[in-house]
């Protein structure tokens, strides 16, 4: 449901205020390989549409529309004050689009959806509010942190969380008045937006009046209850749809932001970790390391921002890089992920043509780096843009789009193109046979539909059986890993007590549990993929046999099965648990225990209750999402094949046009073969 807001949209489209828009085009050259594949596929689809009949042209048009819908999502996570939002603004070519000074308490995931257009301008916005159930969990239990504190018996921390929650409620009701409860679970949509509108939904302000007297455009008016913001920008320089997603981070009092960020990473294929050159990556950032550890290393890029604030970036960069590598290796992070360095501030100055506005320190750092980079004479906006690191970051993203989410999407279309071309070829073959034998091709379409329905039923049944069996083994492995960890942790606790006594505070690192759970997820995914691959291949073979039987083809027809879906990473294992939270509350929990038995039993109970939801989520939500993805992939494949068969059914009786087409059968068959060969070549080149 949508509740219209009282704000009016701008009469004229809102556009960014930049002097050098061409710089962004040069940065986006990193996508040239992927764009080339897209262009090749569009040309192939056009050729196929020209060769086939109306039904074939319709299928080619549908596949072309699928190409237009490809929108790789890049999720940015990072430290507070690392300049993450400023970096996203520069990459979008719109400095100031998202407020960079957002209060660190905000919990909004903001997605900038860039799409090709003749000029860059705001095209629409949607703001979604928290559901009542999510708000109730925060209000009643203090979110995840409140639940953790309650399980740990940390009364002081729990009371602190409750006080903060109550202040949040009072501020929200103060801003929204009678509309507060009504807005939960709703969304606001706009045909355009500007920067002040964005601030109303994502910036937490502190001042407000009563509901009757407060101005509508107050900064932060809806920020307490806004969960997600989607901004749609037509962009003159992007060659295809692209989503840049800003996350709220991980380190808030209620762990609400952590849950939201985890969800954003789960839905993306590329993750950019933004660090500050001053802070790099220390052990205090364990939550960030946990998040990126759950994602494949090849899908993670680390960007060290704010090098403009270093005294000598040319000499300090190598030292910072080695420090990050060492920290990632020590804490089981993706130590081989690429590490890039740059400055969002330099990028924005280059775009805006405001090099003269740089601070003296920033300019000095730029000159040092430029001299080491071989730049001679006065530093130009092009030089600054290059040194900002943004073009290098876009190249790294472009490589991952081409070999990952984007390449897989194009490959999926390529498989469909190949199958459609083979279907058209089958139609021509059936006409040719009919012309040669003096007969009409009249397939029993009722029988064909029944055969396809039976193929789908068998495939779904086999898929469900495979998933159920593998999930059962998966849950057993999860429980075994969970119990093994609890036993080891409790044994380590007892050993500590025997060695040091009760006065020495002890803690235990939960990395081992996460490694065991991640391993269980990998085994589950690999085994299920193997079974699903066999099921998909069997369905494709049965469909090909149905084609041949229905249309009397003497040559075998090969139908390519669909590509297996990519399973989302098990990011649930990254969520904060009791053992991750070091500090005063843990010390107080420890000092309140008396006796070895009390330590062991209460510790075991608390950690089991704290980690059980994580294990349950993997066995239920994570495994269930994989099942849904497999079923959706199978359903899309079979729907596509039904469309092809229905197109072939149009050849049920020869017409004068069919005979005319048959006269050019050989030439058309050769062109179809060229199309299939072109698709195969594209796929081999991408492999």
């Amino acid at each position: 449901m949508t509740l219209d807001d009282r704000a009016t949209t701008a009469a004229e489209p809102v556009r960014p205020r930049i002097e050098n828009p061409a710089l962004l085009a040069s940065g986006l050259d990193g996508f040239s390989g992927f764009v080339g594949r897209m262009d090749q596929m569009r040309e192939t689809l056009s050729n196929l549409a020209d060769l086939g009949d109306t039904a074939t042209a319709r299928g080619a048009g549908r596949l072309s529309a699928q190409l237009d819908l490809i929108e790789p999502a890049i999720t940015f996570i990072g430290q507070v004050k690392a300049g993450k939002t400023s970096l996203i603004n520069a990459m979008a070519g719109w400095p100031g689009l998202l407020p960079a000074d957002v209060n660190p308490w905000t919990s909004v995931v903001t997605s900038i959806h860039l799409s090709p257009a003749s000029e860059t301008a705001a095209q629409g916005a949607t703001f979604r509010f928290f559901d009542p159930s999510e708000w109730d969990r925060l209000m009643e239990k203090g979110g995840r942190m409140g639940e953790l504190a309650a399980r740990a018996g940390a009364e002081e921390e729990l009371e602190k969380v409750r006080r903060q929650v109550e202040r949040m409620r009072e501020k929200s009701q103060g801003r929204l008045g009678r509309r507060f409860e009504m807005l939960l679970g709703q969304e606001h949509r706009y045909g355009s937006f500007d920067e002040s509108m964005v601030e109303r939904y994502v910036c937490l302000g502190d001042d407000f009046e009563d509901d009757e007297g407060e101005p509508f455009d107050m900064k932060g008016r809806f920020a307490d209850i806004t969960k997600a913001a989607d901004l749609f920008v037509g962009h003159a320089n992007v060659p295809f749809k692209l989503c840049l997603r800003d996350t709220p981070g991980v380190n808030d009092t209620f762990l609400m932001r952590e849950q939201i960020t985890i969800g954003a990473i789960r839905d993306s294929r590329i993750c950019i970790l933004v660090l500050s050159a001053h802070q790099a990556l220390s052990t205090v950032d364990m939550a960030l390391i946990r998040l990126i550890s759950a994602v494949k290393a090849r899908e993670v890029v680390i960007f060290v921002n704010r090098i403009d604030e270093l005294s000598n970036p040319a000499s300090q960069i190598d030292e910072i890089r080695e420090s990050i590598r060492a920290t990632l290796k020590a804490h089981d992070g993706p130590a081989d992920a690429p590490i890039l360095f740059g400055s969002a501030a330099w990028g924005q100055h280059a775009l805006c043509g405001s090099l003269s506005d740089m601070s003296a320190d920033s300019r000095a750092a730029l000159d040092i780096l430029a001299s080491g980079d071989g730049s001679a004479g006065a530093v130009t906006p092009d030089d600054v843009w290059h040194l900002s690191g943004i073009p290098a970051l876009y190249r790294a993203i472009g490589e991952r789009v081409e070999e990952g989410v984007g390449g897989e999407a194009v490959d999926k279309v390529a498989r469909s193109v190949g199958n459609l071309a083979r279907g058209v070829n089958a139609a021509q073959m059936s006409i040719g046979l009919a012309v040669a034998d003096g007969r009409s091709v009249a397939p029993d379409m009722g029988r064909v539909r029944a055969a396809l329905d039976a193929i789908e039923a068998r495939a779904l049944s086999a898929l469900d059986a495979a998933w159920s069996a593998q999930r059962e083994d998966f849950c057993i492995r999860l429980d075994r890993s969970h119990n093994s960890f609890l036993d080891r942790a409790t044994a380590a606790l007892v050993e500590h007590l025997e060695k040091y006594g009760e006065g020495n505070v002890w803690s235990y690192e939960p990395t081992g549990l996460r490694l065991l759970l991640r391993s269980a997820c990998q085994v589950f995914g690999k085994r299920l993929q193997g079974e699903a691959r066999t099921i998909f291949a069997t369905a494709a073979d049965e469909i090909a046999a149905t084609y041949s039987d229905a249309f009397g083809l003497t040559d075998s027809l090969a139908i390519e099965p669909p590509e297996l879906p990519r399973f989302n990473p098990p990011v649930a294992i990254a969520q904060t648990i009791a053992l991750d939270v070091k500090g005063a509350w843990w010390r107080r929990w420890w000092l309140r225990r008396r006796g070895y038995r009390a330590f062991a039993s209460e510790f075991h109970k608390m950690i089991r209750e704290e980690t059980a939801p994580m294990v349950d989520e993997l066995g239920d939500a994570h495994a269930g999402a994989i099942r849904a993805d497999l079923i959706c992939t199978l359903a899309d494949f079979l729907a596509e094949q039904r469309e092809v068969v229905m197109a072939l059914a149009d050849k049920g009786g020869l017409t004068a046009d069919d005979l005319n087409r048959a006269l050019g059968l050989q030439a058309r068959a050769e062109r179809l073969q060229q199309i299939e060969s072109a698709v195969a070549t594209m796929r081999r080149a991408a492999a």
Side-chain angles (χ1 to χ4, degrees), residues 75 77-78 271-275 281 288 292 300-304:
T75 294
I77 64 172
C271 179
I272 311 299
L273 173 60
V274 184
L275 307 176
L281 189 60
L288 291 174
I292 60 177
V300 175
V301 178
I302 298 171
F303 187 84
V304 182

Side-chain angles (χ1 to χ4, degrees), residues 6-72:
R6 284 178 291 174
T8 58
T9 58
E12 294 292 331
V14 181
R15 299 181 177 87
R17 298 176 293 276
I18 58 175
E19 296 293 327
N20 300 308
L23 292 178
L24 188 64
S26 66
L28 289 166
D29 284 347
F31 291 109
S32 58
F34 176 63
V35 172
R37 289 186 62 190
M38 295 267 281
D39 290 343
Q40 281 183 294
M41 187 57 63
R42 286 196 173 94
E43 182 179 357
T44 301
L45 283 165
S46 177
N47 290 336
L48 181 60
D50 290 342
L51 277 175
D53 52 20
T54 303
T56 306
R58 187 167 56 247
R62 176 180 54 78
L63 293 174
S64 182
Q66 287 184 18
L67 286 179
D68 294 336
L69 291 175
I70 295 174
E71 185 190 41

Side-chain angles (χ1 to χ4, degrees), residues 654-674:
L654 287 174
T655 65
D657 185 56
D658 291 330
L659 291 172
N660 290 333
R661 287 177 179 273
L663 295 176
L665 176 62
Q666 184 60 40
R668 293 170 59 79
E670 289 176 358
R671 290 189 64 189
L672 284 166
Q673 184 59 47
Q674 290 172 359

Side-chain angles (χ1 to χ4, degrees), residues 106-182:
T106 188
S107 299
V108 184
V109 170
T110 307
S111 300
I112 304 176
H113 301 271
L114 306 176
S115 59
S118 58
E119 57 181 351
T120 304
Q123 293 185 332
T126 300
F127 302 95
R128 295 190 299 278
F129 302 130
F130 283 106
D131 292 333
S133 60
E134 294 170 314
W135 190 260
D136 289 344
R137 182 186 180 191
L138 177 64
M139 292 297 108
E140 295 173 8
K141 299 182 179 180
R144 282 260 309 131
M145 184 60 81
E147 293 170 355
L148 186 155
R151 277 193 288 270
E155 290 83 2
E156 293 182 24
E157 279 67 26
L158 184 57
E159 182 56 34
K160 185 188 302 183
V161 169
R162 286 171 177 158
R163 288 197 300 270
Q164 290 175 330
V165 167
E166 189 57 36
R167 284 200 298 272
M168 179 183 290
R169 180 197 291 273
E170 291 173 356
K171 290 175 66 176
S172 297
Q173 290 178 328
R175 288 191 181 99
L176 300 172
R178 293 187 298 270
R179 303 184 69 197
F180 172 73
E181 298 289 347
M182 183 175 60

